[in-house]
C-alpha cells in the first residue's frame, strides 16, 4: 500500500512553492498559517531562488485542493511574499537527499556493498575505520528502501532532507520576469528592479 | 494630510543630513505622516522616545492612558472615527504584551494602527533581560506586519513602510519594536520619504474587467438580488459609490455590524442588519434571493450561521480587496477583486437601472412582522422595567442620529447596533470580529480625539465597563468629552441569555456585582447619575448630552431581557427565532 492510499478522503500530497523576500521572521509568519489551522507540514525547505535576493520556500503538505488554495492565498497575502504556487506530484519533479551511517566492519564483512549501492543509486561519501556514510537522492519510497536494506547491517544514523521541487510544465516565476524584460526593456536594470513593477509582472 | 506631506519634503539626497537620535527621527517621521495624537504609556525601555517627546509637546499630543490595552483601543477608536492611522506607544515586556488584545481586535476588524514598542538593548536580546519579551513572535499572528529595529538608521525607512502597510489595501495593525540602543543612537538623518511602494506587497489586486462584466450580467438577469455590505465600503471611502450603485440597481441591501452607517439608516433600500441578532427579513430572505452581492464583507460565521444551509440557491458575487477572502467561507459564482471604490463605479456603469419594488416589499413585510412581534415592545414598553432598546431609541431621538456610538460587547452591543440610528459614516464603532469586552470606554476616548466636533456616546454594559474602568482616569486627565451610557442589567447578559436558552437557566457565574458607578466617576471628577425610572430617562439623557464635559449615565434596565431575533448557533439564517 502506498502512502497515497491511506490518506483521508480527498487529501493528496501538494507541494507549495513560495517566493519571498529574504526577511527575518518570515518563516514564522508562513508557518503560523499552517499551525493555526492545525495542518502538519511534512517537509519544508528554504533556499535562495534563481533570482538574486529572492528566497524560495518549498513546503509539502497532505490536504485537499480547496484547503491548499485557501492556504496559498493566505500566504500570498503576507507583506514579504511575492508569489505562491501549488502543485500535485504529477506537476513537479522533486528530490530528497538521505544520508545513512553504518558500521564499517559490518558492511565490509557481510554486505554485498557493490550490489547494494548500485541497486539503490547510492554512493559512499565518507569511509572511515569505524563507519561509512552513504548518500542517496530520490523520492521518499526510494530513500526509505535503503533504510530497510541497511537496517540488518546495524544502521547507526539516518537523516533525510526536505523536498526540493521544480515545476514541470510551468516556466514559473522567472519566465514572468523574463517576459516582462522583453516587453519593457530597461537600461542597466537588475532583475529585482523589474519586480518593483509588480502589477505588470504578476497576475492573481 | 497624510499623503500631501511629502510635497514639503525634498528628496533625501538633496537634503543636508542632520544628526538626530533614533527617538527624534521617529517623532519627525510621525509628524510628517500627519500624526497629531498618540496614545501611550511610558516605561523603561521606551524612555528615550518619551524623553524626545518632551521636546515635541507642541506638535504631538500624547494622551497618557491608564493601561496599554486602553491605549490601543483608544488608537482603534481614533482610527475608526477619523479614517487615519492610530498611533500607540508602549514599553517592552508587559507593556507590549498588554497590546496583544488590541492588536488581535484591530487585525480582525481591519483597523489601521502603528504601534511602537520599546525593547531592551540589542545586546541583551534573547537573554531574558528585565522586561524583555519576544514581542515580534508574540504579535506575528495578530499583525499585518511587524519589524524589530536594532539600529537607528533603519527608523525612517521602516516607519514609512509601517504607515504605508497599515493604511493601504485592507488596513491593519503594524507593530514596530525598537531596541533602546536604537532609540538613543545618533545618526545622520537625511529626511523622510513616505513610502508608496513595496516590492513584495500589492495592496490592491488588479481589477479584471471580465469579471465585472460577468457580475453585471448576473445582476441584470436577477429577479431577487440582495446586497450584503460590510466595513469594506467605509474603509474604501466608497460610501458615495455605494449609494450610486444602490440607486441605479434598486436592490435591497443589508449590513454587517462593521458596515452600518455607510449609508443613512433611513435609506429606503436599507433593509437592516444581518446575522445572529440581525433583522428577520434579511436573514430569512438570504435563503430566498437568487443573487447575493457581498461588498467588502467577509461572511463571518456570526453572519452566515450554518454554511451548508447558507444561500445555496443564490449565485454569489463577492467584491473584496483581499483575494484571500474570496471563497474562504462561501463559494462565489463571480469574484470581483479590487478596492470597491474603484470596482463599484465600473459595475454601476454596466448594470441596468431597475426597481425591485415587489422584492423590496417582501423585506418590508418581514420588517412589519418583526415590529409587531418584537421591536415595538422593546422600544416602547409601557410597563415594567426599562429595556435597552428604549434607551437607545430615546438616545436616537435626542442625537437625531448624528452621534458616534461606541459599543462594548454583549447584549447592549447587539441592541445598540440594531436600534441606533446613523446619518453619517464612521459613526458606529464596535469590536466586531474579536468581541472584546472592555473595548468601548477607551475606544470612545480615541473616537472623540479623532472626531472632536462630534458627540461621542459610549454604550457599555456593566460587565465590560469594569474591564477597562481605569480609563476614567484618562478622561479625567485629558479632559476629553465622552458621554458614557451604562446599560446595567446586573448580569453578564449575553452569556446569561445563552444559559437561559441553551443551558436550562444554569446561570453559572454571570451574576455580576458592580460598584456605585456614579461614585466611581465622581472620584475621577466626572459628573454622573443613575436612572431607575422610565419617566426620568429622557431628561437624564438630555442632561448627559448637554453636559459640557464627560458624563456617566447609568440606566438600570430589565435583568433578564433577551436580544431577539436570534439565529441559534448551528442553525441556518432562515431558522431565525423571533422569540
Amino acid at each position: 500500500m502506498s502512502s497515497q492510499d491511506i490518506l483521508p478522503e480527498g487529501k493528496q500530497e501538494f507541494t507549495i512553492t513560495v517566493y519571498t523576500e529574504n526577511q527575518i521572521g518570515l518563516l514564522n509568519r508562513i508557518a503560523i498559517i499552517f499551525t493555526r489551522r492545525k495542518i502538519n507540514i511534512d517537509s519544508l525547505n528554504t533556499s535562495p531562488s534563481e533570482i538574486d535576493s529572492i528566497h524560495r520556500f518549498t513546503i509539502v503538505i497532505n490536504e485537499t485542493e480547496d484547503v491548499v488554495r485557501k492556504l496559498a492565498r493566505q500566504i500570498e497575502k503576507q507583506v514579504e511574499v511575492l508569489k505562491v504556487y501549488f502543485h500535485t506530484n504529477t506537476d513537479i519533479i522533486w528530490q530528497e537527499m538521505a544520508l545513512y551511517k553504518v558500521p564499517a566492519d559490518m558492511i565490509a564483512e557481510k554486505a554485498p556493498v557493490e550490489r547494494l549501492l548500485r541497486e539503490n543509486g547510492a554512493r559512499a561519501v565518507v569511509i572511515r575505520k569505524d563507519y561509512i556514510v552513504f548518500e542517496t537522492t530520490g523520492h521518499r519510497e526510494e530513500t526509505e528502501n535503503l533504510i530497510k536494506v541497511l537496517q540488518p547491517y546495524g544502521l547507526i544514523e539516518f537523516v533525510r532532507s526536505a523536498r526540493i521541487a521544480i515545476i514541470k510544465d510551468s516556466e514559473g516565476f522567472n519566465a514572468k520576469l523574463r517576459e516582462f524584460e522583453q516587453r519593457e526593456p530597461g537600461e542597466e536594470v537588475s532583475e529585482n528592479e523589474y519586480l518593483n513593477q509588480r502589477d505588470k509582472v504578476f497576475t492573481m | 494630510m497624510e499623503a500631501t506631506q511629502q510635497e514639503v519634503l525634498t528628496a533625501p539626497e538633496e537634503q543636508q543630513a542632520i544628526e538626530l537620535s533614533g527617538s527624534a527621527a521617529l517623532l519627525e517621521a510621525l509628524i510628517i505622516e500627519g500624526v497629531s495624537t498618540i496614545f501611550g504609556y511610558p516605561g523603561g525601555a521606551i524612555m528615550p522616545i518619551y524623553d524626545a517627546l518632551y521636546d515635541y509637546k507642541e506638535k504631538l499630543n500624547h494622551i497618557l492612558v491608564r493601561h496599554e490595552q486602553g491605549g490601543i483601543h483608544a488608537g482603534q477608536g481614533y482610527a475608526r472615527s477619523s479614517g487615519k492611522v492610530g498611533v500607540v506607544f508602549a514599553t517592552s515586556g508587559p507593556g507590549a504584551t498588554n497590546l496583544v488584545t488590541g492588536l488581535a481586535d484591530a487585525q480582525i476588524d481591519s483597523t489601521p494602527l502603528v504601534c511602537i514598542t520599546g525593547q531592551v538593548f540589542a545586546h541583551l536580546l534573547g537573554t531574558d533581560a528585565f522586561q524583555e519579551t519576544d514581542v515580534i513572535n508574540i504579535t506575528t499572528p495578530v499583525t499585518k506586519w511587524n519589524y524589530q529595529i536594532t539600529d537607528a538608521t533603519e527608523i525612517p525607512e521602516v516607519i514609512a513602510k509601517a504607515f504605508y502597510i497599515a493604511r493601504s489595501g485592507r488596513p491593519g495593525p503594524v507593530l514596530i519594536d525598537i531596541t533602546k540602543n536604537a532609540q538613543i543612537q545618533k545618526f545622520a538623518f537625511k529626511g523622510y520619504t513616505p513610502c508608496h511602494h513595496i516590492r513584495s506587497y500589492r495592496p490592491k489586486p488588479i481589477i479584471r474587467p471580465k469579471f465585472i462584466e460577468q457580475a453585471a450580467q448576473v445582476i441584470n438577469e436577477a429577479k431577487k438580488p440582495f446586497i450584503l455590505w460590510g466595513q469594506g465600503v467605509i474603509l474604501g471611502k466608497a460610501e458615495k459609490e455605494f449609494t450610486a450603485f444602490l440607486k441605479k440597481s434598486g436592490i435591497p441591501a443589508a449590513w454587517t455590524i462593521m458596515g452600518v452607517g455607510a449609508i443613512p439608516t433611513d435609506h429606503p433600500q436599507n433593509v437592516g442588519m444581518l446575522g445572529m441578532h440581525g433583522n428577520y427579513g434579511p436573514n430569512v430572505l438570504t435563503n430566498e434571493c437568487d443573487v447575493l452581492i457581498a461588498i467588502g464583507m467577509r461572511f463571518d460565521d456570526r453572519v452566515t450561521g450554518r454554511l451548508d444551509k447558507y444561500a445555496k440557491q443564490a449565485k454569489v458575487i463577492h467584491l473584496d480587496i483581499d483575494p484571500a477572502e474570496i471563497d474562504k467561507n462561501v463559494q462565489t459564482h463571480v469574484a470581483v477583486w479590487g478596492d470597491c471604490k474603484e470596482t463599484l463605479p465600473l459595475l454601476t456603469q454596466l448594470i441596468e437601472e431597475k426597481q425591485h419594488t415587489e422584492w423590496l416589499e417582501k423585506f418590508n413585510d418581514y420588517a412589519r412582522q418583526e415590529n409587531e412581534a418584537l421591536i415595538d415592545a422593546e422600544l416602547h414598553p409601557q410597563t415594567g422595567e426599562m429595556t435597552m432598546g428604549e434607551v437607545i431609541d430615546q438616545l436616537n431621538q435626542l442625537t437625531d442620529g448624528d452621534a458616534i456610538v461606541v459599543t462594548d460587547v454583549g447584549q447592549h452591543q447587539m441592541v445598540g447596533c440594531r436600534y441606533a440610528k446613523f446619518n453619517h459614516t464612521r459613526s458606529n464603532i464596535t469590536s466586531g470580529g474579536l468581541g472584546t469586552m472592555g473595548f468601548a470606554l477607551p475606544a470612545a476616548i480615541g473616537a472623540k480625539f479623532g472626531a472632536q466636533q462630534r458627540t461621542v456616546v459610549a454604550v457599555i454594559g456593566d460587565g465590560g465597563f469594569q474591564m477597562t474602568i481605569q480609563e476614567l482616569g484618562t478622561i479625567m486627565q485629558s479632559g476629553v468629552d465622552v458621554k458614557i451610557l451604562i446599560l446595567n442589567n446586573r448580569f453578564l447578559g449575553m452569556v446569561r441569555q445563552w444559559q437561559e436558552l441553551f443551558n436550562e437557566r444554569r446561570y453559572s457565574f454571570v451574576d455580576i456585582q458592580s460598584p456605585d458607578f456614579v461614585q466611581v466617576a465622581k472620584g475621577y471628577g466626572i459628573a454622573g447619575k443613575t436612572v431607575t425610572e422610565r419617566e426620568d430617562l429622557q431628561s437624564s439623557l438630555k442632561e448627559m448630552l448637554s453636559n459640557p464635559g464627560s458624563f456617566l449615565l447609568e440606566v438600570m434596565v430589565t435583568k433578564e431581557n433577551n436580544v431577539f431575533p436570534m439565529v441559534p448557533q448551528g442553525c441556518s439564517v432562515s431558522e431565525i427565532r423571533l422569540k
Side-chain angles (χ1 to χ4, degrees):
Chain A
M1 193 157 60
S2 79
S3 61
Q4 291 282 321
D5 296 331
I6 53 167
L7 288 175
E9 204 182 336
K11 290 191 180 182
Q12 57 177 319
E13 206 162 67
F14 278 94
T15 301
I16 301 170
T17 307
V18 187
Y19 285 93
T20 74
E21 301 281 2
N22 183 13
Q23 186 78 49
I24 291 172
L26 192 55
L27 171 62
N28 196 22
R29 227 167 231 286
I30 290 172
I32 282 169
I33 291 169
F34 294 89
T35 51
R36 79 177 283 204
R37 290 165 182 78
K38 219 171 173 181
I39 292 169
N40 189 40
I41 293 176
D42 289 345
S43 155
L44 188 151
N45 171 267
T46 75
S47 71
S49 73
E50 66 275 19
I51 303 153
D52 186 30
S53 91
I54 301 288
H55 268 233
R56 179 175 173 151
F57 287 63
T58 306
I59 303 166
V60 182
I61 59 167
N62 278 298
E63 261 306 332
T64 61
E65 189 179 337
D66 184 48
V67 169
V68 175
R69 180 176 292 110
K70 287 173 186 174
L71 284 167
R73 284 186 182 168
Q74 294 290 344
I75 298 168
E76 200 160 72
K77 192 173 151 175
Q78 299 304 315
V79 169
E80 279 123 354
V81 171
L82 290 118
K83 191 69 192 162
V84 180
Y85 299 99
F86 61 92
H87 294 94
T88 58
N89 288 346
T90 52
D91 301 330
I92 54 164
I93 294 150
W94 81 94
Q95 293 286 67
E96 292 166 347
M97 186 185 177
L99 296 175
Y100 313 77
K101 192 202 277 182
V102 279
D105 51 351
M106 283 283 277
I107 286 287
E109 285 167 23
K110 296 184 180 171
V113 176
E114 197 185 324
R115 187 164 60 84
L116 186 148
L117 297 186
R118 240 183 235 165
E119 280 177 359
N120 291 281
R123 65 190 181 96
V125 286
V126 168
I127 301 170
R128 286 174 37 145
K129 264 189 190 166
D130 47 348
Y131 64 77
I132 299 171
V133 175
F134 295 111
E135 169 263 331
T136 62
T137 307
H139 288 190
R140 179 74 52 98
E141 308 84 67
E142 292 160 349
T143 52
E144 250 162 33
N145 196 41
L146 191 55
I147 303 178
K148 287 178 203 152
V149 177
L150 290 175
Q151 206 70 272
Y153 303 108
L155 180 63
I156 303 167
E157 203 177 333
F158 165 75
V159 64
R160 179 166 46 221
S161 75
R163 172 182 293 190
I164 54 168
I166 294 277
I167 300 157
K168 258 189 209 168
D169 296 331
S170 161
E171 286 190 59
F173 185 71
N174 205 13
K176 282 179 189 288
L177 276 173
R178 278 193 269 108
E179 270 171 38
F180 185 71
E181 192 179 0
Q182 277 180 350
R183 209 167 53 238
E184 295 184 33
E187 290 174 18
E188 294 178 27
V189 278
S190 70
E191 279 186 321
N192 286 336
E193 280 166 276
Y194 294 119
L195 288 175
N196 288 334
Q197 298 184 47
R198 285 197 85 211
D199 289 354
K200 293 178 185 167
V201 180
F202 304 114
T203 54
M204 292 183 79
Chain B
M1 185 158 182
E2 291 169 356
T4 55
Q5 281 285 350
Q6 59 174 314
E7 291 163 16
V8 300
L9 296 171
T10 49
E13 62 272 17
E14 291 166 21
Q15 271 192 344
Q16 283 199 330
I18 46 168
E19 197 176 59
L20 282 185
S21 69
S23 300
L26 166 73
L27 301 181
E28 289 286 343
L30 296 185
I31 291 165
I32 295 165
E33 287 290 351
V35 176
S36 55
T37 306
I38 297 162
F39 303 92
Y41 204 95
I46 200 171
M47 271 182 64
I49 290 174
Y50 272 84
D51 182 60
L53 198 55
Y54 195 75
D55 297 325
Y56 286 81
K57 274 193 284 194
E58 302 302 315
K59 291 179 179 167
L60 292 167
N61 181 26
H62 178 273
I63 308 301
L64 178 66
V65 293
R66 294 298 182 269
H67 189 284
E68 290 85 355
Q69 187 184 353
I72 191 163
H73 291 329
Q76 291 176 269
Y78 177 88
R80 299 265 284 274
S81 74
S82 69
K84 292 170 151 189
V85 177
V87 178
V88 184
F89 285 177
T91 192
S92 64
T97 55
N98 282 343
L99 296 181
V100 172
T101 303
L103 287 170
D105 197 293
Q107 173 84 337
I108 200 163
D109 283 348
S110 309
T111 307
L113 290 181
V114 170
C115 297
I116 308 288
T117 50
Q119 181 56 279
V120 300
F121 283 90
H123 71 271
L124 293 174
L125 286 170
T127 65
D128 299 326
F130 177 67
Q131 291 197 330
E132 187 205 356
T133 50
D134 182 359
V135 65
I136 293 299
N137 275 315
I138 289 172
T139 61
T140 293
V142 288
T143 49
K144 187 173 173 187
W145 187 65
N146 61 10
Y147 189 84
Q148 186 172 62
I149 294 175
T150 49
D151 189 296
T153 56
E154 293 180 285
I155 286 175
E157 195 187 330
V158 171
I159 297 300
K161 208 170 156 183
F163 274 88
Y164 175 54
I165 292 169
R167 70 158 80 91
S168 60
R170 181 178 181 171
V174 170
L175 183 136
I176 305 298
D177 194 40
I178 310 179
T179 57
K180 202 167 176 180
N181 57 296
Q183 297 171 40
I184 297 165
Q185 181 194 338
K186 294 205 166 172
F187 73 108
F189 180 73
K190 293 179 185 167
Y192 179 83
T193 311
C195 175
H196 297 289
H197 176 82
I198 297 168
R199 177 172 78 173
S200 56
Y201 169 61
R202 186 168 53 184
K204 296 177 191 177
I206 297 164
I207 295 171
R208 297 166 303 169
K210 186 176 86 179
F211 294 102
I212 295 185
E213 285 162 21
Q214 278 180 17
Q217 194 187 344
V218 172
I219 293 170
N220 288 338
E221 287 166 3
K223 299 277 178 266
K224 292 194 279 185
F226 182 29
I227 294 167
L228 319 179
W229 91 83
Q231 196 193 197
V233 175
I234 297 169
L235 293 172
K237 300 183 172 69
E239 292 89 348
K240 274 187 190 165
E241 290 77 4
F242 179 52
T243 309
F245 175 68
L246 281 179
K247 192 176 176 195
K248 190 171 180 190
S249 70
I251 302 172
W255 40 272
T256 72
I257 62 167
M258 297 302 291
V260 65
I263 57 168
T265 308
D266 57 9
H267 189 287
Q269 283 159 259
N270 177 0
V271 294
M273 174 172 155
L274 292 162
M276 184 174 267
H277 292 290
N279 290 109
Y280 194 34
N283 273 309
V284 172
L285 295 173
T286 296
N287 277 351
E288 206 178 293
C289 67
D290 57 355
V291 173
L292 201 61
I293 307 153
I295 305 171
M297 58 85 74
R298 57 186 182 84
F299 291 109
D300 181 89
D301 58 277
R302 282 293 190 270
V303 163
T304 63
R306 256 182 90 152
L307 271 177
D308 61 341
K309 291 184 173 179
Y310 183 78
K312 288 292 167 199
Q313 79 296 342
K315 286 181 177 171
V316 177
I317 298 169
H318 194 170
L319 287 78
D320 210 289
I321 198 165
D322 181 355
E325 286 302 335
I326 306 290
D327 296 337
K328 189 181 82 176
N329 298 326
V330 171
Q331 199 65 36
T332 44
H333 187 74
V334 185
V336 180
W337 295 2
D339 185 343
C340 61
K341 191 171 181 72
E342 294 162 24
T343 54
L344 273 175
L346 297 172
L347 192 56
T348 306
Q349 215 173 12
L350 295 179
I351 57 168
E352 294 159 8
E353 191 157 353
K354 277 191 181 169
Q355 301 283 320
H356 289 281
T357 320
E358 265 181 54
W359 172 231
L360 188 60
E361 190 48 40
K362 210 160 180 189
F363 285 89
N364 295 337
D365 274 345
Y366 276 106
R368 279 189 284 272
Q369 287 177 43
E370 190 179 341
N371 250 336
E372 283 168 23
L374 196 148
I375 298 176
D376 267 349
E378 176 71 29
L379 302 193
H380 311 293
Q382 303 302 316
T383 56
E385 291 179 299
M386 283 182 281
T387 65
M388 291 186 184
E390 74 176 307
V391 182
I392 300 295
D393 187 55
Q394 292 284 329
L395 182 71
N396 285 339
Q397 290 178 29
L398 296 170
T399 60
D400 211 16
D402 289 337
I404 291 177
V405 177
V406 186
T407 48
D408 211 79
V409 170
Q411 284 186 316
H412 75 278
Q413 177 190 29
M414 291 299 113
V415 172
C417 290
R418 279 178 61 84
Y419 299 118
K421 277 191 69 175
F422 299 109
N423 296 331
H424 311 285
T425 189
R426 297 193 175 276
S427 294
N428 179 59
I429 297 173
T430 194
S431 168
L434 198 67
T436 305
M437 283 177 74
F439 173 83
L441 182 63
I445 295 170
K448 182 66 184 178
F449 279 107
Q452 301 206 24
Q453 72 291 357
R454 299 190 65 188
T455 300
V456 174
V457 184
V459 180
I460 318 181
D462 44 322
F465 187 61
Q466 291 179 76
M467 281 206 174
T468 47
I469 196 168
Q470 75 285 348
E471 297 309 327
L472 289 174
T474 307
I475 292 177
M476 174 181 70
Q477 190 166 354
S478 66
V480 67
D481 177 6
V482 173
K483 312 303 182 194
I484 304 158
L485 178 57
I486 299 176
L487 301 181
N488 188 347
N489 59 2
R490 292 146 283 168
F491 265 126
L492 298 176
M494 191 56 98
V495 181
R496 188 212 56 75
Q497 174 169 341
W498 282 49
Q499 288 172 343
E500 178 188 332
L501 298 175
F502 312 118
N503 290 4
E504 293 98 31
R505 300 176 74 98
R506 286 155 56 88
Y507 289 169
S508 184
F509 300 99
V510 286
D511 186 354
I512 187 170
Q513 288 186 6
S514 297
D516 182 334
F517 289 131
V518 176
Q519 284 299 319
V520 172
K522 202 174 166 188
Y524 284 100
I526 298 165
K529 73 185 285 190
T530 300
V531 187
T532 52
E533 302 302 323
R534 178 166 289 124
E535 64 216 38
D536 300 328
L537 177 62
Q538 199 181 54
S539 61
S540 303
L541 283 166
K542 268 187 194 164
E543 189 182 343
M544 174 183 84
L545 292 168
S546 61
N547 191 68
S550 288
F551 192 96
L552 183 146
L553 183 68
E554 179 189 25
V555 183
M556 306 309 290
V557 295
T558 318
K559 276 193 85 170
E560 295 186 64
N561 201 15
N562 290 337
V563 187
F564 279 112
M566 181 175 189
V567 180
Q569 195 149 34
C571 290
S572 102
V573 284
S574 48
E575 293 173 279
I576 186 166
R577 290 169 54 175
L578 276 174
K579 283 180 181 173

